[in-house]
Amino acid sequence: MVDHKHLAVLKQGVNYWNDWRQNNPDVIPDLSKVDLKGIDLKRINLRGANLSKTDFTGAYLRDADFRRANFYETLFDNANLNRTNFSVTKLSGASLNEANFMEANFIEADFSGCQFYKANFSKANFSKAKLKVDKIAKLNFTQAILIEANLSEADLRESNFCEADLRESNLSRANLEESNLSRADFSQADLSGSNLARTQALSTQFQQAILTGACLEDWNINSDTEFSNVICDYIYLRRNRRERRPSSGNFATGEFTLLFQKTLETIDLIFRDGINWDAFAYSFNRVEIANINLQLDVQSIEKKKNEIILVRVSVASDADKAKIYNDFIQGYEFAHKILEEQYEVKLKEKDILVADREGQIVKYEKQINRLLDIVVQQGSVQKALVEHPRKVSNYDLRNSLIAGGIIDAETVQSNQIGGSIQNPDTQENPS
């Protein structure tokens, strides 16, 4: 449980706390289960402290020292932890969802049992760290250092490793599906049995990396993707260990490179929410004009699982695929946004038109009902004249519309009916 004396010291402010820590180096602070949500503790010294179940949600902890602290079930969700120091620390059970750890120090840290969905680890140092990721996390490792890090069997789908340093890291059986590996360094990394399906590996370094048993379904590489001295006996072209290459035995010398020579001449465009073909045509023509000498051509269109559509575009082997890809995506997103806005306007106009038409329909329905009432009344009048020619004035015709006029049965004017009136019983001519 929390030591209330320690909590009282903390309430005096960060500077007071840090001075107290310096003067009491043997004291192990206990702030377990304390609610510190949203607090500003920039540069605080919590080294070795008991922070079990402490709530730092949304806190500002930039440059804090957390080395060797106890983080059992600690909450760091949405917290700012830029340049914090977690080296040689166990964060077992901690929650780091959407926290910002930019440039943080995680050397030899252990993340077993942590939750860190969409956490930002850009430029952080994970050298020799252990990251056990059991479910999809969508992490940002842009320019992070993961030298000799252990990411074996980690679920790193849709994560960003752009320009990250993963030399000699262990990614065996890791799931990197749809991740961005562009310009990352996997030299001497162990990627055996990993899932690299639909990854972006443009200008990525795989020198001396182990790729045996990896799934390379629809991954995107270019002429600058480096495979020198790769260790690879066989790979799979489809997930779940399907379409083995070679179908039996192992690759001969140089065979792996030949297998992916065609891949070097294509760009894979992946659409997860369907394709706006007008936006596609606009962006493709724009890129084609800008790269008129590169012979761009749509090679194939495939519908994958979960409504994913893959458009494969062939290009010259010496083309800058990364630039072409980025230019196309920017153009497509721009055109898609403009077309969506136009669609919204047309939809509103349509709603106004529909509402106007509905009003007209109601008006027409009233007129039709009125006409039907008139027809019924006229039929009744005709029947009454036939059956009771002398008693027509006793029939209630007030406010009835006949021949364009209003008839009051008590004061009938002949010019309201539009014809002459004759009464055979009086034998008079009403001229």
Side-chain angles (χ1 to χ4, degrees), residues 131-134 150-156 170-175:
L131 282 80
K132 184 68 175 177
V133 188
D134 297 321
N150 186 352
L151 296 158
S152 177
E153 301 182 1
D155 190 342
L156 297 165
N170 183 359
L171 290 146
S172 59
R173 299 179 300 283
N175 190 351

Side-chain angles (χ1 to χ4, degrees), residues 257-307:
T257 303
L258 289 174
L259 177 64
F260 287 96
Q261 190 61 46
K262 288 186 178 181
T263 308
L264 294 173
E265 299 172 357
T266 61
I267 296 175
D268 290 346
L269 304 173
I270 300 170
F271 301 86
R272 296 185 177 85
D273 300 311
I275 299 180
N276 184 316
W277 288 109
D278 289 333
F280 181 94
Y282 164 82
S283 186
F284 187 84
N285 289 334
R286 179 171 170 268
V287 173
E288 192 174 32
I289 291 171
N291 299 276
I292 196 167
N293 297 322
L294 297 181
Q295 303 173 342
L296 299 180
D297 190 26
V298 175
Q299 188 179 87
S300 63
I301 301 173
E302 302 177 48
K303 188 173 182 180
K304 304 290 186 179
K305 292 182 179 179
N306 301 322
E307 303 302 318

